[in-house]
Short mmCIF file of all heavy atoms in Angstrom, two decimals:
data_model
loop_
_atom_site.label_atom_id
_atom_site.label_comp_id
_atom_site.label_asym_id
_atom_site.label_seq_id
_atom_site.Cartn_x
_atom_site.Cartn_y
_atom_site.Cartn_z
N VAL A 350 46.04 35.99 105.12
CA VAL A 350 46.44 36.11 106.53
C VAL A 350 45.32 36.80 107.31
O VAL A 350 44.92 36.34 108.39
CB VAL A 350 47.77 36.89 106.66
CG1 VAL A 350 48.09 37.15 108.13
CG2 VAL A 350 48.91 36.11 106.02
N GLY A 351 44.79 37.88 106.76
CA GLY A 351 43.68 38.57 107.43
C GLY A 351 42.48 37.65 107.59
O GLY A 351 41.83 37.59 108.65
N LEU A 352 42.23 36.89 106.53
CA LEU A 352 41.10 35.97 106.54
C LEU A 352 41.24 34.91 107.63
O LEU A 352 40.23 34.42 108.18
CB LEU A 352 41.06 35.29 105.16
CG LEU A 352 39.78 34.70 104.63
CD1 LEU A 352 38.65 35.71 104.66
CD2 LEU A 352 40.01 34.23 103.18
N SER A 353 42.48 34.56 107.97
CA SER A 353 42.70 33.48 108.94
C SER A 353 42.12 33.83 110.32
O SER A 353 42.00 32.96 111.17
CB SER A 353 44.19 33.15 109.05
OG SER A 353 44.89 34.18 109.72
N ARG A 354 41.79 35.11 110.53
CA ARG A 354 41.14 35.48 111.79
C ARG A 354 39.67 35.86 111.57
O ARG A 354 39.03 36.44 112.44
CB ARG A 354 41.87 36.67 112.42
CG ARG A 354 43.24 36.30 112.94
CD ARG A 354 43.94 37.45 113.62
NE ARG A 354 45.30 37.07 113.99
CZ ARG A 354 45.64 36.56 115.18
NH1 ARG A 354 44.72 36.39 116.11
NH2 ARG A 354 46.88 36.24 115.44
N GLN A 355 39.15 35.55 110.38
CA GLN A 355 37.78 36.00 110.08
C GLN A 355 36.94 34.91 109.44
O GLN A 355 36.05 35.20 108.63
CB GLN A 355 37.83 37.20 109.13
CG GLN A 355 38.54 38.40 109.71
CD GLN A 355 38.63 39.50 108.68
OE1 GLN A 355 37.66 40.18 108.40
NE2 GLN A 355 39.80 39.65 108.10
N LEU A 356 37.22 33.66 109.75
CA LEU A 356 36.43 32.57 109.16
C LEU A 356 35.19 32.37 110.03
O LEU A 356 35.07 31.40 110.76
CB LEU A 356 37.28 31.29 109.09
CG LEU A 356 38.58 31.47 108.30
CD1 LEU A 356 39.49 30.25 108.48
CD2 LEU A 356 38.29 31.68 106.81
N PHE A 357 34.32 33.33 109.94
CA PHE A 357 33.23 33.41 110.90
C PHE A 357 31.97 32.67 110.43
O PHE A 357 31.71 32.53 109.25
CB PHE A 357 32.86 34.87 111.17
CG PHE A 357 32.61 35.66 109.92
CD1 PHE A 357 31.40 35.60 109.27
CD2 PHE A 357 33.60 36.47 109.39
CE1 PHE A 357 31.17 36.31 108.11
CE2 PHE A 357 33.36 37.19 108.23
CZ PHE A 357 32.16 37.11 107.58
N GLY A 358 31.18 32.24 111.42
CA GLY A 358 29.89 31.64 111.14
C GLY A 358 28.75 32.58 111.51
O GLY A 358 28.94 33.79 111.59
N LEU A 359 27.58 32.04 111.76
CA LEU A 359 26.39 32.86 112.04
C LEU A 359 25.70 32.36 113.31
O LEU A 359 25.77 31.18 113.63
CB LEU A 359 25.36 32.71 110.90
CG LEU A 359 25.69 33.29 109.55
CD1 LEU A 359 24.58 32.90 108.57
CD2 LEU A 359 25.81 34.80 109.63
N THR A 360 25.02 33.28 113.97
CA THR A 360 24.07 32.89 114.99
C THR A 360 22.69 33.25 114.46
O THR A 360 22.48 34.37 114.02
CB THR A 360 24.33 33.64 116.31
OG1 THR A 360 25.69 33.40 116.69
CG2 THR A 360 23.40 33.17 117.41
N ILE A 361 21.78 32.28 114.48
CA ILE A 361 20.48 32.47 113.84
C ILE A 361 19.40 32.39 114.93
O ILE A 361 19.50 31.57 115.85
CB ILE A 361 20.27 31.36 112.77
CG1 ILE A 361 21.40 31.46 111.73
CG2 ILE A 361 18.91 31.44 112.11
CD1 ILE A 361 21.84 30.16 111.18
N ALA A 362 18.38 33.23 114.80
CA ALA A 362 17.30 33.20 115.80
C ALA A 362 16.58 31.86 115.73
O ALA A 362 16.07 31.47 114.68
CB ALA A 362 16.33 34.34 115.52
N SER A 363 16.54 31.15 116.85
CA SER A 363 15.85 29.86 116.90
C SER A 363 14.36 30.09 117.18
O SER A 363 13.99 31.00 117.91
CB SER A 363 16.44 28.98 117.99
OG SER A 363 15.65 27.82 118.14
N GLU A 364 13.50 29.24 116.59
CA GLU A 364 12.05 29.36 116.87
C GLU A 364 11.69 28.68 118.19
O GLU A 364 10.57 28.77 118.65
CB GLU A 364 11.25 28.74 115.71
CG GLU A 364 11.39 27.23 115.60
CD GLU A 364 10.69 26.64 114.38
OE1 GLU A 364 10.95 27.12 113.28
OE2 GLU A 364 9.88 25.72 114.56
N ARG A 365 12.67 27.97 118.79
CA ARG A 365 12.38 27.25 120.03
C ARG A 365 13.04 27.96 121.21
O ARG A 365 14.18 28.44 121.10
CB ARG A 365 12.90 25.81 119.92
CG ARG A 365 12.05 25.00 118.95
CD ARG A 365 12.64 23.65 118.64
NE ARG A 365 13.75 23.73 117.70
CZ ARG A 365 14.37 22.69 117.19
NH1 ARG A 365 13.99 21.47 117.54
NH2 ARG A 365 15.35 22.83 116.34
N ALA A 366 12.28 28.00 122.33
CA ALA A 366 12.81 28.68 123.52
C ALA A 366 14.04 27.94 124.02
O ALA A 366 14.13 26.71 123.95
CB ALA A 366 11.74 28.73 124.62
N GLU A 367 15.00 28.71 124.56
CA GLU A 367 16.22 28.16 125.16
C GLU A 367 16.95 27.18 124.21
O GLU A 367 17.34 26.08 124.58
CB GLU A 367 15.89 27.50 126.52
CG GLU A 367 15.36 28.54 127.52
CD GLU A 367 15.17 27.99 128.91
OE1 GLU A 367 14.17 27.28 129.11
OE2 GLU A 367 16.00 28.27 129.77
N HIS A 368 17.06 27.61 123.00
CA HIS A 368 17.83 26.87 122.00
C HIS A 368 18.79 27.86 121.34
O HIS A 368 18.44 29.02 121.13
CB HIS A 368 16.93 26.29 120.90
CG HIS A 368 16.25 25.01 121.31
ND1 HIS A 368 15.42 24.93 122.40
CD2 HIS A 368 16.29 23.76 120.76
CE1 HIS A 368 14.95 23.70 122.52
NE2 HIS A 368 15.47 22.97 121.53
N ARG A 369 19.96 27.40 121.02
CA ARG A 369 20.90 28.23 120.26
C ARG A 369 21.15 27.56 118.91
O ARG A 369 21.50 26.38 118.84
CB ARG A 369 22.23 28.40 121.01
CG ARG A 369 23.24 29.25 120.27
CD ARG A 369 24.38 29.69 121.17
NE ARG A 369 25.06 28.56 121.79
CZ ARG A 369 25.95 27.76 121.17
NH1 ARG A 369 26.27 27.99 119.91
NH2 ARG A 369 26.50 26.76 121.82
N LEU A 370 20.95 28.34 117.86
CA LEU A 370 21.08 27.82 116.49
C LEU A 370 22.25 28.56 115.84
O LEU A 370 22.25 29.79 115.73
CB LEU A 370 19.78 28.08 115.73
CG LEU A 370 19.71 27.71 114.25
CD1 LEU A 370 20.03 26.25 114.01
CD2 LEU A 370 18.30 28.02 113.70
N THR A 371 23.26 27.82 115.41
CA THR A 371 24.44 28.46 114.81
C THR A 371 24.87 27.72 113.55
O THR A 371 24.47 26.57 113.31
CB THR A 371 25.65 28.44 115.79
OG1 THR A 371 25.87 27.09 116.18
CG2 THR A 371 25.41 29.29 117.01
N GLU A 372 25.69 28.42 112.79
CA GLU A 372 26.36 27.81 111.63
C GLU A 372 27.84 28.06 111.80
O GLU A 372 28.23 29.19 112.08
CB GLU A 372 25.94 28.53 110.35
CG GLU A 372 24.87 27.86 109.56
CD GLU A 372 24.61 28.62 108.27
OE1 GLU A 372 25.51 29.33 107.76
OE2 GLU A 372 23.50 28.52 107.79
N TYR A 373 28.65 27.05 111.64
CA TYR A 373 30.09 27.28 111.67
C TYR A 373 30.78 26.47 110.57
O TYR A 373 30.14 25.66 109.89
CB TYR A 373 30.69 27.03 113.06
CG TYR A 373 30.37 25.70 113.68
CD1 TYR A 373 31.09 24.57 113.35
CD2 TYR A 373 29.34 25.58 114.62
CE1 TYR A 373 30.80 23.34 113.93
CE2 TYR A 373 29.06 24.35 115.21
CZ TYR A 373 29.79 23.24 114.85
OH TYR A 373 29.50 22.02 115.41
N TRP A 374 32.07 26.72 110.42
CA TRP A 374 32.80 26.20 109.26
C TRP A 374 34.01 25.38 109.69
O TRP A 374 34.76 25.79 110.58
CB TRP A 374 33.27 27.36 108.37
CG TRP A 374 32.12 28.12 107.78
CD1 TRP A 374 31.43 29.13 108.38
CD2 TRP A 374 31.51 27.88 106.52
NE1 TRP A 374 30.41 29.55 107.55
CE2 TRP A 374 30.44 28.80 106.39
CE3 TRP A 374 31.75 27.00 105.46
CZ2 TRP A 374 29.63 28.87 105.27
CZ3 TRP A 374 30.94 27.07 104.34
CH2 TRP A 374 29.90 27.99 104.25
N HIS A 375 34.20 24.23 109.03
CA HIS A 375 35.35 23.37 109.30
C HIS A 375 36.18 23.18 108.02
O HIS A 375 35.64 23.27 106.91
CB HIS A 375 34.88 21.98 109.74
CG HIS A 375 34.38 21.92 111.15
ND1 HIS A 375 35.01 22.56 112.19
CD2 HIS A 375 33.32 21.27 111.69
CE1 HIS A 375 34.37 22.31 113.31
NE2 HIS A 375 33.33 21.55 113.05
N PRO A 376 37.47 22.85 108.17
CA PRO A 376 38.27 22.51 106.99
C PRO A 376 37.61 21.37 106.22
O PRO A 376 36.93 20.52 106.81
CB PRO A 376 39.61 22.07 107.60
CG PRO A 376 39.66 22.74 108.95
CD PRO A 376 38.23 22.80 109.43
N LEU A 377 37.84 21.33 104.89
CA LEU A 377 37.11 20.34 104.08
C LEU A 377 37.96 19.13 103.69
O LEU A 377 37.45 18.02 103.64
CB LEU A 377 36.56 21.04 102.83
CG LEU A 377 35.71 20.23 101.88
CD1 LEU A 377 34.56 19.54 102.61
CD2 LEU A 377 35.14 21.11 100.79
N GLY A 378 39.23 19.33 103.36
CA GLY A 378 40.02 18.16 102.94
C GLY A 378 41.16 18.54 102.03
O GLY A 378 41.77 19.59 102.20
N VAL A 379 41.38 17.72 101.01
CA VAL A 379 42.48 17.97 100.06
C VAL A 379 41.95 18.81 98.91
O VAL A 379 40.92 18.50 98.33
CB VAL A 379 43.03 16.63 99.50
CG1 VAL A 379 44.12 16.88 98.47
CG2 VAL A 379 43.54 15.75 100.64
#
Side-chain angles (χ1 to χ4, degrees):
V350 173
L352 203 53
S353 72
R354 290 182 185 268
Q355 298 176 76
L356 303 170
F357 52 81
L359 291 174
T360 304
I361 300 145
S363 172
E364 68 185 52
R365 289 171 283 186
E367 297 187 283
H368 280 58
R369 180 165 56 78
L370 176 57
T371 55
E372 261 184 26
Y373 53 82
W374 296 85
H375 284 318
L377 183 53
V379 177

